[in-house]
Amino acid sequence: MSEPYIIYVVDDDEAIRRSLSFMLRTSGYAVRLFAGGLEFLKEAGALPRGCVLLDVRMPDIDGLEVQRELRARGITLPVVIMTGHGDVDMAVAAMKTGASDFIEKPFEKAALLASIEAAKALSLAERGAIARAEEARARLNVLTDRERDVLHGLVQGLPNKSIAYDLGISPRTVEIHRANLMQKLRVKSLAEALRIAFHAG
């Protein structure tokens, strides 16, 4: 029998740790909880296969630093970043340093489980990255040049006003392009649009 797939929850908020633990255990996962990044890093090198659910904002060491340290040590556990509202730029930075996904709090159970399954698939089959990149590029091909410009600004973590200023258009026009590109990409959230952009490289 294969070893269980373990979800490592790293979050300084005890209530979130408890609720995630319950949600994940009832969905059939084994779970280990860590109250902070340093506590997790102490054990990270010896942990069996699994997926890390990593909070961005923690008092001892932030999630991005934890992720950088994992990479520096050659630890290949897939990481799903958990981010509060307004931390999208940090989540973008996390994706750039190798997170497999990010998910905004408060999240629905289905979205969380989908992120974990995607991270699991990613770690089990990196070969799929090429196919995903090709699919993502094909999806981006339907965008106009201006919509690509707006998406590029969003990937850099810029607010609508900054994108508007850089492109010499009004913030309202940026909103329209943003709505159009999300419709064309068939996504409901900015996170999904960014994910496609990252997969496309």
Side-chain angles (χ1 to χ4, degrees):
M1 191 171 147
S2 65
E3 56 190 295
Y5 194 78
I6 303 169
I7 310 301
Y8 302 105
V9 177
V10 187
D11 196 308
D12 60 302
D13 186 323
E14 190 186 348
I16 288 177
R17 289 199 306 275
R18 272 208 309 267
S19 79
L20 278 172
S21 175
F22 177 76
M23 188 190 292
L24 292 165
R25 286 180 203 282
T26 55
S27 299
Y29 289 104
V31 182
R32 280 198 58 190
L33 306 176
F34 296 88
L38 293 175
E39 181 189 324
F40 172 68
L41 285 171
K42 275 181 198 160
E43 296 190 43
L47 295 174
R49 73 191 184 100
C51 174
V52 186
L53 277 185
L54 182 60
D55 190 34
V56 169
R57 292 188 188 276
M58 293 182 288
D60 60 347
I61 174 174
D62 74 43
L64 300 189
E65 203 53 54
V66 172
Q67 195 188 348
R68 278 192 286 270
E69 187 59 31
L70 288 175
R71 287 195 82 180
R73 296 184 193 181
I75 296 168
T76 57
L77 291 168
V79 174
V80 174
I81 294 284
M82 299 184 290
T83 164
H85 181 67
D87 288 340
V88 168
D89 55 338
M90 293 180 83
V92 167
M95 298 272 295
K96 283 180 177 168
T97 55
S100 68
D101 206 351
F102 70 92
I103 185 163
E104 287 184 88
K105 297 174 183 175
F107 34 73
E108 293 177 2
K109 181 176 179 178
L112 175 66
L113 296 180
S115 278
I116 289 170
E117 281 303 314
K120 183 178 175 182
L122 194 68
S123 66
L124 295 175
E126 285 294 347
R127 293 187 305 277
I130 297 163
R132 263 194 311 282
E134 286 173 356
E135 188 211 348
R137 278 195 285 271
R139 290 175 77 175
L140 292 180
N141 280 341
V142 302
L143 303 183
T144 65
D145 289 344
R146 187 54 99 199
E147 287 161 357
R148 281 168 179 267
D149 291 340
V150 169
L151 183 58
H152 183 68
L154 294 170
V155 165
Q156 292 177 302
L158 299 175
N160 287 358
K161 278 184 182 170
S162 299
I163 296 171
Y165 179 79
D166 289 346
L167 298 178
I169 56 179
S170 73
R172 175 75 189 124
T173 305
V174 171
E175 282 174 25
I176 292 166
H177 285 310
R178 182 170 161 168
N180 287 344
L181 73 87
M182 286 175 68
Q183 188 178 9
K184 285 182 180 179
L185 294 174
R186 301 189 301 282
V187 297
K188 292 188 174 68
S189 71
L190 175 59
E192 286 178 275
L194 292 176
R195 207 170 297 139
I196 290 170
F198 278 114
H199 286 159

